[in-house]
Amino acid sequence: KISRIIAIVTIILLRINFCKSIYHSRQFFNTYYKSNQLNNSTKSLSTNIVNNMSQYDYDLIVIGGGSGGMSCAKQAASLGAKVALFDYVKPSTQGTVWGLGGTCVNVGCVPKKLMHYAGLVGQSIHDAKALGWKVSQSSHNWEELVEAVVNHVRRLNFRYRVALKNKNVNYINALAKFEDDHTISYTLKGKNGGFKTITAANIVIAVGGRPVVPDDIPGAREFAITSDDLFTLSKPPGKTLSVGGSYIALECAGFLTELGYDVTVAVRSIVLRGFDRQSAEKIASLMTDLGTNIIYGSKPTEIIKSSDGKYQVTFEDSTGNKWSDSYDTVFFATGRYPDLAGLNLISAGVITDPVTGKIPVINEQTNVPHIFAVGDVCEGKQELTPVAVQAGELLAKRLFGKSTKTMDYDLVATTVFTPFEYGSVGLSEEEAIQRYGEEDIEVYLSEFTTLEISAVHRMTHPRKGESTDFGHTCL
């Protein structure tokens, strides 16, 4: 009889929790969609900290050891909270894995900027000769570059683990998922492994995103690499096809071109969607001057591996014309998706956007009051490392430090590390016109060539015809 009573009470409690989750979901979306803009004041939507933390194993569990998750966990621990952080890297389509630190450190900003710098150094060899330096060797070794990049990243991985330990954050290298809105389950390998669960008063989702590899292009998932794989590629990429017009596609195509590889970028429509159009087109033009081959209005439809190890790629343009070419490496940079599929969010009652798959948040708070999200999983927020870091730190201070300061997502600066770098802050010309009307917008435009490039007479690539001095390199 006692067992039956316990079972009945358990069922009733589960139903009550489910009803609460539905109630909070409705409350959230009433607030979210009826507002024309998010209210950044904690007065309108409090963080609803769970006050009775003693009933849980931890004050805070963070799922994801990237930039946002790490900053939130460390800040919370420094304020006296008991914190656990989960991080687990699922292999890429080509089996690549990496260490603690998330996308930026391992397969994003850090290795990308190092390879970008390597490309700039290569271009400066020409400048050095023109300015009197006696440079005898100008060849490049891909394997040595990868070794330098990997060694630096591993040092960062180690520093992050030490930092978590110094802050008394319990680092758990396992794949976490929700059992309910306060309970996380995971499985550890080894002698003391097995299925385990822990609970927390507050939970932060900071799992980031992964590159999209289309399922509808035969051979893409089998043969193509992404930014998850490029920076640790064991052999030189050779003749490379970069698919996509995103900043990742152009940045990687840019440094590969500067390192001396034959690179083609296949763009379905336009490059750098969402950026200022004139600036985006200037970047593409300068990349063409350097030797990158950009083909517009085209997309790959099939990838076949030939007997010689190369990849035969079939293309189709907007008119239906088809052609093919052979490449040593096919690189996809056609977008990213939030890595939320394995979290079992439904058990926690957390709602995601039906179109993007991301989590709608107000001040990093989801529709479940004690569950939060930071970084690339948040709907409508910039996918930038400094944004995730700042949002994570401010959230921790509100939860455990009595702060009321919220993240300001407006006027965030960003950069594109193509060979000729691009930086922006605020509205693009197109966004300004859309917001204020063309009659109320004044645009001040200037084009020029830098003193340095003018003096050393950098020449355009023969791909554009006869080589000439670079034109205007600044906009």
Side-chain angles (χ1 to χ4, degrees):
K1 289 183 179 179
I2 293 174
S3 299
R4 289 180 181 177
I5 291 170
I6 292 173
I8 291 169
V9 170
T10 301
I11 291 170
I12 291 171
L13 289 173
L14 287 172
R15 289 180 177 177
I16 290 172
N17 285 334
F18 178 74
C19 291
K20 284 182 178 179
S21 176
I22 295 298
Y23 171 77
H24 288 311
S25 301
R26 288 175 178 172
Q27 290 282 81
F28 175 81
F29 278 100
N30 284 338
T31 304
Y32 189 83
Y33 286 113
K34 285 180 181 178
S35 284
N36 291 326
Q37 60 182 7
L38 295 181
N39 188 344
N40 284 329
S41 170
T42 54
K43 294 179 181 178
S44 64
L45 183 67
S46 69
T47 50
N48 281 323
I49 305 169
V50 178
N51 294 317
N52 189 12
M53 295 182 180
S54 60
Q55 63 180 299
Y56 302 104
D57 299 321
Y58 290 90
D59 301 325
L60 177 68
I61 289 176
V62 178
I63 306 175
S67 303
M70 289 276 291
S71 66
C72 185
K74 290 189 294 181
Q75 183 64 62
S78 69
L79 292 169
K82 185 179 180 183
V83 182
L85 179 140
F86 285 90
D87 189 63
Y88 183 87
V89 180
K90 290 174 284 188
S92 73
T93 55
Q94 301 305 313
T96 307
V97 293
W98 50 88
L100 179 65
T103 297
C104 178
V105 170
N106 293 281
V107 290
C109 325
V110 171
K112 180 269 301 291
K113 286 187 70 177
L114 290 174
M115 291 197 171
H116 167 64
Y117 179 59
L120 295 180
V121 170
Q123 288 294 312
S124 69
I125 292 174
H126 168 272
D127 302 351
K129 291 177 180 178
L131 295 172
W133 287 93
K134 304 305 178 186
V135 181
S136 59
Q137 183 181 1
S138 59
S139 62
H140 182 264
N141 186 296
W142 172 264
E143 290 86 350
E144 290 181 8
L145 170 61
V146 169
E147 182 180 8
V149 170
V150 168
N151 287 342
H152 182 71
V153 169
R154 285 176 178 169
R155 284 195 294 272
L156 294 178
N157 296 149
F158 177 75
R159 289 178 187 175
Y160 290 146
R161 294 192 67 162
V162 171
L164 290 178
K165 185 176 181 180
N166 290 341
K167 293 287 186 180
N168 293 318
V169 175
N170 182 18
Y171 166 53
I172 304 172
N173 183 211
L175 194 61
K177 72 173 184 177
F178 285 94
E179 293 296 321
D180 59 45
D181 60 333
H182 284 288
T183 306
I184 299 297
S185 66
Y186 60 102
T187 301
L188 286 178
K189 297 179 181 179
K191 183 178 179 181
N192 298 318
F195 180 82
K196 300 179 183 294
T197 61
I198 57 174
T199 60
N202 302 282
I203 299 174
V204 173
I205 302 167
V207 294
R210 299 296 291 266
V212 172
V213 181
D215 291 316
D216 59 348
I217 300 177
R221 295 191 67 84
E222 184 178 359
F223 302 124
I225 67 170
T226 67
S227 54
D228 283 354
D229 314 292
L230 177 61
F231 306 113
T232 54
L233 207 60
S234 60
K235 62 179 182 179
K239 183 180 177 182
T240 301
L241 171 67
S242 178
V243 183
S246 66
Y247 71 89
I248 297 174
L250 296 191
E251 287 176 338
C252 294
F255 70 66
L256 290 177
T257 298
E258 289 190 303
L259 292 174
Y261 299 106
D262 183 355
V263 182
T264 295
V265 180
V267 182
R268 185 179 59 182
S269 53
I270 61 174
V271 297
L272 298 177
R273 185 180 301 278
F275 291 88
D276 182 88
R277 292 313 320 145
Q278 196 164 12
S279 299
E281 289 161 9
K282 184 68 175 178
I283 289 172
S285 175
L286 288 169
M287 288 183 64
T288 304
D289 286 343
L290 281 172
T292 306
N293 180 32
I294 302 178
I295 51 177
Y296 292 92
S298 62
K299 61 179 182 179
T301 57
E302 185 180 35
I303 304 171
I304 298 174
K305 189 171 185 178
S306 305
S307 58
D308 60 0
K310 296 182 181 293
Y311 300 105
Q312 195 72 19
V313 180
T314 301
F315 296 90
E316 183 177 358
D317 64 18
S318 56
T319 64
N321 293 325
K322 292 187 176 183
W323 73 98
S324 63
D325 202 350
S326 180
Y327 300 91
D328 299 298
T329 300
V330 180
F331 171 77
F332 268 80
T334 51
R336 297 176 67 83
Y337 66 91
D339 193 19
L340 297 169
L343 283 181
N344 193 26
L345 292 179
I346 192 170
S347 291
V350 176
I351 289 176
T352 58
D353 185 273
V355 177
T356 65
K358 294 188 175 186
I359 302 174
V361 295
I362 297 177
N363 295 333
E364 292 72 59
Q365 185 180 43
T366 72
N367 61 294
V368 180
H370 56 274
I371 299 179
F372 306 85
V374 297
D376 294 1
V377 297
C378 295
E379 172 64 26
K381 311 303 181 188
Q382 298 94 334
E383 296 182 7
L384 298 170
T385 294
V387 170
V389 170
Q390 179 82 335
E393 289 181 354
L394 291 177
L395 173 59
K397 290 177 180 178
R398 294 199 304 276
L399 287 173
F400 304 106
K402 299 181 180 180
S403 172
T404 59
K405 187 175 181 180
T406 58
M407 178 65 188
D408 184 357
Y409 289 95
D410 198 21
L411 300 178
V412 176
T414 188
T415 56
V416 179
F417 288 99
T418 40
F420 290 91
E421 297 163 354
Y422 168 53
S424 68
V425 64
L427 302 175
S428 67
E429 181 180 343
E430 292 76 21
E431 290 170 334
I433 290 172
Q434 185 178 19
R435 182 177 295 189
Y436 300 108
E438 190 168 3
E439 65 280 1
D440 292 324
I441 298 297
E442 291 186 42
V443 179
Y444 297 90
L445 178 67
S446 176
E447 289 193 77
F448 59 94
T449 302
T450 63
L451 170 67
E452 296 83 358
I453 290 179
S454 296
V456 300
H457 298 288
R458 284 198 192 178
M459 307 296 287
T460 60
H461 194 276
R463 192 189 297 276
K464 292 194 72 172
E466 183 180 355
S467 292
T468 59
D469 275 12
F470 260 80
H472 293 148
T473 58
C474 295
L475 174 63

